Amino acid sequence: MQLSHIRKVVSATFDDPNLVSVAGLVPVMKLAADSGLHELADRHLSVPTDKGANAGLKVASLVGGMVAGADSIDDMAILRHGAMGKLFNACYAPSTLGSFLRKFTFGHVRQLDAVASRFLTNLAAKAPLLPTGDDGGYVFVDVDDTIVEVHGYGKQGSGYGYSGVRGLNALLATVKTGASAPVIIGQRLRRGACGSPRGAARLIGDALATLKRISQVKDAPILFRADSAFYGYAAIHAALNAGAAVSVTAKMDPAIKTAIGTICDDAWEAIEYTDAIYDEESGRWISDAEVAETQFTAFTSRKKSEHITARLVVRRIPELNKQAGGGQGTLFEAHRYHAFFPPRTTSREVPPPPAASILSKPTKPIWP
């Protein structure tokens, strides 16, 4: 068998008016309607001119298109293929949806955030988004940013950030439990060249406020987690102020290095990793990775009322010496350090476990 290179053979058109390629949208859009997506958008969105009319239907159309796999305005034409008009009403043309989005200002984006948070609360009441399981463990809120690559120098807000790729910077807050997949609970789209922590404090406060309105997890303890880009007073204070415990990777600044230097040599404990060996005679795990903790006060450059004192948990591993096998050994063993900062909260007076047991069970919640 050989492929025919005749143009009319390799070009096909799907034009059957009685078939749809995305029938799975029926239960999805029914659930969205039952959760109040249309009513919330009509109530909270005030996009001006006739381009903003029927905001609920247009927002639902955009959601339906994205669920069906669209990632551009032109792809929204999937809503008008085949028998989609028999399944759904108000299947808007891509040009109409594009005109609607182009009228958005920052204020309208914030209105859409209000729609999203209320919709998520209603959706969680109808679908088990965040089952907590039987252990009653922590609800994890993770914040991080990512670069969304764009093409074309005329793209508004695009720029070269830390990744070296032209794009926009998306800040995301996700929530998960020990028995659930991550769910996006907050998002911000920012200029491509902005720093990771910009606006994070506001996002963290909004995300934790939304989380407390979700009936499935509103009474569960919350743990906020982030990498060292968010190690700063604003982000940590926003999480603590909302009643969450915190576990944030600490930047290796001079204060952190000084604190690590005060840890005694005999304070380091081997971590019970999967490849660790247990020594019966000494009663200790033999592992390359070790952990210790010390007391630390962060943000001492700020006024005294804003100082935060807590444990500093530090993991260390031997520094790799690639020339050791060639007779270029070191005079003394050097280590690489990874520290994270878990402040206590006043809402839960629970004694913390040893640092070694924290890092030996990465699937379990980290205690404050």
Side-chain angles (χ1 to χ4, degrees), residues 289-329:
E290 297 176 309
V291 66
E293 63 177 79
T294 186
Q295 201 77 1
F296 179 71
T297 300
F299 316 122
T300 53
S301 62
R302 305 180 69 90
K303 58 184 180 181
K304 191 171 183 179
S305 62
E306 296 177 348
H307 295 181
I308 299 178
T309 300
R311 295 182 299 150
L312 182 71
V313 180
V314 185
R315 171 182 175 269
R316 75 175 185 180
I317 58 174
E319 186 72 57
L320 180 62
N321 181 7
K322 296 182 180 180
Q323 299 179 344
Q328 298 294 324

Side-chain angles (χ1 to χ4, degrees), residues 10 22 28 66 72 103 123 150 170 186 196 218 224 272 302:
V10 298
V22 285
V28 172
M66 288 187 290
S72 67
K103 286 294 181 180
L123 183 61
V150 298
S196 295
K218 66 178 181 180
F224 165 73
E272 183 187 346
R302 305 180 69 90

Side-chain angles (χ1 to χ4, degrees), residues 314-366:
V314 185
R315 171 182 175 269
R316 75 175 185 180
I317 58 174
E319 186 72 57
L320 180 62
N321 181 7
K322 296 182 180 180
Q323 299 179 344
Q328 298 294 324
T330 56
L331 293 176
F332 54 88
E333 190 175 34
H335 293 87
R336 295 172 59 191
Y337 297 92
H338 173 267
F340 66 92
F341 188 57
R344 296 176 183 269
T345 62
T346 57
S347 59
R348 283 173 57 88
E349 295 297 334
V350 181
S357 64
I358 292 177
L359 294 183
S360 64
K361 301 175 181 178
T363 58
K364 297 294 185 180
I366 300 174

Side-chain angles (χ1 to χ4, degrees), residues 214-279:
I214 298 177
S215 59
Q216 296 170 359
V217 294
K218 66 178 181 180
D219 296 324
I222 301 170
L223 178 63
F224 165 73
R225 304 183 296 188
D227 62 27
S228 60
F230 301 91
Y231 176 72
Y233 176 78
I236 292 178
H237 175 71
L240 292 175
N241 194 48
V246 175
S247 178
V248 177
T249 301
K251 293 180 179 178
M252 295 300 291
D253 57 26
I256 295 292
K257 293 179 181 179
T258 301
I260 294 175
T262 63
I263 301 176
C264 300
D265 290 338
D266 57 358
W268 296 95
E269 300 180 36
I271 301 175
E272 183 187 346
Y273 282 154
T274 54
D275 57 350
I277 300 174
Y278 188 74
D279 185 4

